[in-house]
Amino acid sequence: MMKDEIRPQDGKLEPSRPLYVFNPEHDIALAANRERFTPPRAGLQLRHDLGFLPALWAQADAVVMVEDEVAAKRSWDRFRDCRGISSSVRFVTPATLRTLIRADRLVEIRPWGWDSALRRQLLDAGVLSHLVPTDHDLAEIREVSNRRWAAENLLPEMVSMDPVMIGEAHYCTSLQAVREVLGDHGKRLCKSPWSSTGRGLRLLDDAGWPPQTEGWIARVIGQQGGVMLEPYYDKLQDFAMEFRATAAGVVYEGLSVFSTAHGAYEGSLLASEKEKASLLSDSLPSSLLDRIRRRMADLLNGRLPKSYRGPLGIDMMIVADRKDRRSVRVHPCVELNLRMTMGHAALAMHRLMPEFRGHMRIAYDGSYCIELESR
């Protein structure tokens, strides 16, 4: 097994266009819904250490806004040299972004995800208002990013398309409603409507819950309006379908096969589409995979806000059948991420290194880095 690490170090380049931004605190910012928002410390460090990440998918001669130009360039150059990648980008900070704006060379902004806090940061840096979403656009992005939207607009129709499909979700706006759902259904996952990976999640059962869990549920309901209750499944495999909303409609970009622990992202498989589909084939025949992809694209084309242009991903999973442990079921819409995802990042990484076979993951040992493990 071989490992390579991408770590922030140093470097500097002149600005160019368009502008890419890695703002991994996006989901937490959506929950806060404030222009002046300070992310948790871990979110700030993740943005600093891995700010160069959009270089994986940025077009040639684009610019990436980072916290530290020198560190981002050194990290990216080290990775390029190690892997023989010729693609290059240019790095700026919010302060040096003004040079790009004065030169009138900034024509488009492509962040990890749009939220009020990022828009304010860009406007404060001098970005012209026509390059950022309107209040109405941001409100639509926030509404669709709420787990309730996918549970009501995508999940029921996806489940109805085939008997192998499974999945349900209940939106509860009070502790009493939570108790009633648990009384009917037993063990459940309780999720906040907007949350970063692994953060807004609690396991509940009808035997009750400790005071700290009840306090957490009450706080989430008070701050975000409600909580989602979903069955607890015996998960066998996480996977996702990555899409992009364009002026011509929603297009499919690729399959993501990944792993999680306690709801938190662990890593993604880097392989061809054929290899990823083959990995799932024992549980998910290619014909069914194609049907899921086509049906999801149709639903997204008909129901996503027309103003949204950009990446999105639908998390799915293969689970054991509760009645027959030898059989499996497919959950076709665990959640919708109306933003870039690590699945998109894995697709971009594979395009840069098509011969590499292995896994990409985010590791932490005092600073965040990307590790590649060959197999």
Side-chain angles (χ1 to χ4, degrees):
M1 182 178 293
M2 175 181 65
K3 291 187 179 182
D4 295 311
E5 293 185 354
I6 312 171
R7 295 180 182 277
Q9 296 180 32
D10 64 43
K12 190 173 183 179
L13 282 175
E14 296 298 319
S16 184
R17 62 179 185 181
L19 178 71
Y20 293 79
V21 186
F22 178 55
N23 56 317
E25 74 283 0
H26 165 69
D27 295 314
I28 306 173
L30 286 178
N33 199 29
R34 298 192 304 270
E35 286 194 337
R36 305 297 181 183
F37 164 72
T38 301
R41 183 175 180 178
L44 290 171
Q45 185 175 359
L46 191 61
R47 183 169 182 172
H48 175 275
D49 293 349
L50 297 182
F52 66 91
L53 202 61
L56 293 174
W57 54 84
Q59 65 186 55
D61 297 322
V63 63
V64 178
M65 189 176 80
V66 295
E67 301 296 311
D68 185 331
E69 295 176 48
V70 174
K73 184 177 185 299
R74 182 177 294 175
S75 296
W76 179 234
D77 286 348
R78 180 185 178 189
F79 180 66
R80 286 195 307 148
D81 293 343
C82 176
R83 289 295 175 181
I85 297 169
S86 60
S87 175
S88 64
V89 298
R90 306 182 181 190
F91 297 100
V92 296
T93 65
T96 57
L97 178 59
R98 291 183 180 276
T99 303
L100 181 65
I101 296 167
R102 285 197 299 270
D104 194 28
R105 299 181 66 198
L106 180 59
V107 297
E108 184 182 3
I109 301 172
R110 300 179 185 178
W112 185 260
W114 277 115
D115 53 68
S116 297
L118 178 64
R119 182 181 67 172
R120 173 45 55 193
Q121 181 187 24
L122 292 169
L123 291 174
D124 287 349
V127 170
L128 300 178
S129 59
H130 74 276
L131 293 175
V132 299
T134 64
D135 287 341
H136 180 264
D137 294 337
L138 288 175
E140 286 189 326
I141 289 171
R142 187 170 187 268
E143 178 185 1
V144 174
S145 298
N146 186 322
R147 286 186 166 109
R148 181 182 183 181
W149 190 92
E152 294 177 351
N153 288 275
L154 302 177
L155 182 57
E157 294 201 39
M158 292 300 299
V159 169
S160 68
M161 68 175 283
D162 193 284
V164 77
M165 302 297 185
I166 194 171
E168 60 180 88
H170 299 264
Y171 183 68
C172 301
T173 58
S174 69
L175 283 168
Q176 181 57 35
V178 172
R179 292 189 184 97
E180 290 173 358
V181 173
L182 283 176
D184 291 339
H185 301 283
K187 202 172 185 180
R188 293 262 150 172
L189 283 177
C190 183
K191 300 179 179 180
S192 56
W194 299 275
S195 66
S196 184
T197 175
R199 293 177 60 91
L201 184 69
R202 298 292 188 278
L203 181 60
L204 310 178
D205 61 47
D206 53 10
W209 54 73
Q212 60 267 32
T213 298
E214 181 167 319
W216 176 84
I217 296 172
R219 283 195 303 276
V220 173
I221 291 174
Q223 294 168 359
Q224 301 189 28
V227 293
M228 301 298 301
L229 284 191
E230 303 171 8
Y232 178 78
Y233 296 106
D234 182 3
K235 181 174 62 179
L236 303 176
Q237 178 63 59
D238 286 301
F239 71 103
M241 292 186 179
E242 312 298 345
F243 297 88
R244 183 169 297 274
T246 72
V250 173
V251 295
Y252 177 67
E253 295 209 321
L255 188 66
S256 171
V257 178
F258 63 100
S259 59
T260 60
H262 308 294
Y265 171 81
E266 283 196 322
S268 299
L269 176 66
L270 300 185
S272 69
E273 291 300 295
K274 182 177 180 180
E275 288 169 315
K276 287 180 287 189
S278 177
L279 182 67
L280 303 176
S281 62
D282 286 346
S283 307
L284 193 59
S286 59
S287 58
L288 180 57
L289 199 63
D290 289 342
R291 287 176 57 210
I292 293 172
R293 172 180 55 80
R294 290 194 300 269
R295 183 58 179 147
M296 183 62 76
D298 288 343
L299 288 173
L300 291 169
N301 269 312
R303 300 184 181 185
L304 274 185
K306 299 303 180 184
S307 62
Y308 182 73
R309 300 284 185 271
L312 63 136
I314 307 292
D315 287 351
M316 307 178 183
M317 62 183 176
I318 298 170
V319 303
D321 190 293
R322 289 174 175 168
K323 296 180 180 179
D324 181 0
R325 305 293 295 178
R326 295 168 298 179
S327 300
V328 300
R329 308 290 292 275
V330 178
H331 193 310
C333 185
V334 177
E335 65 181 36
L336 178 155
N337 294 301
L338 200 66
R339 54 167 172 78
M340 281 291 292
T341 68
M342 290 307 296
H344 283 99
L347 291 173
M349 185 83 80
H350 179 69
R351 286 192 292 269
L352 290 174
M353 304 181 304
E355 302 305 317
F356 180 83
R357 297 295 181 274
H359 291 84
M360 174 188 76
R361 71 185 187 95
I362 297 177
Y364 179 78
D365 60 359
S367 63
Y368 290 99
C369 63
I370 298 291
E371 286 188 349
L372 300 183
E373 299 182 353
S374 62
R375 61 184 178 93

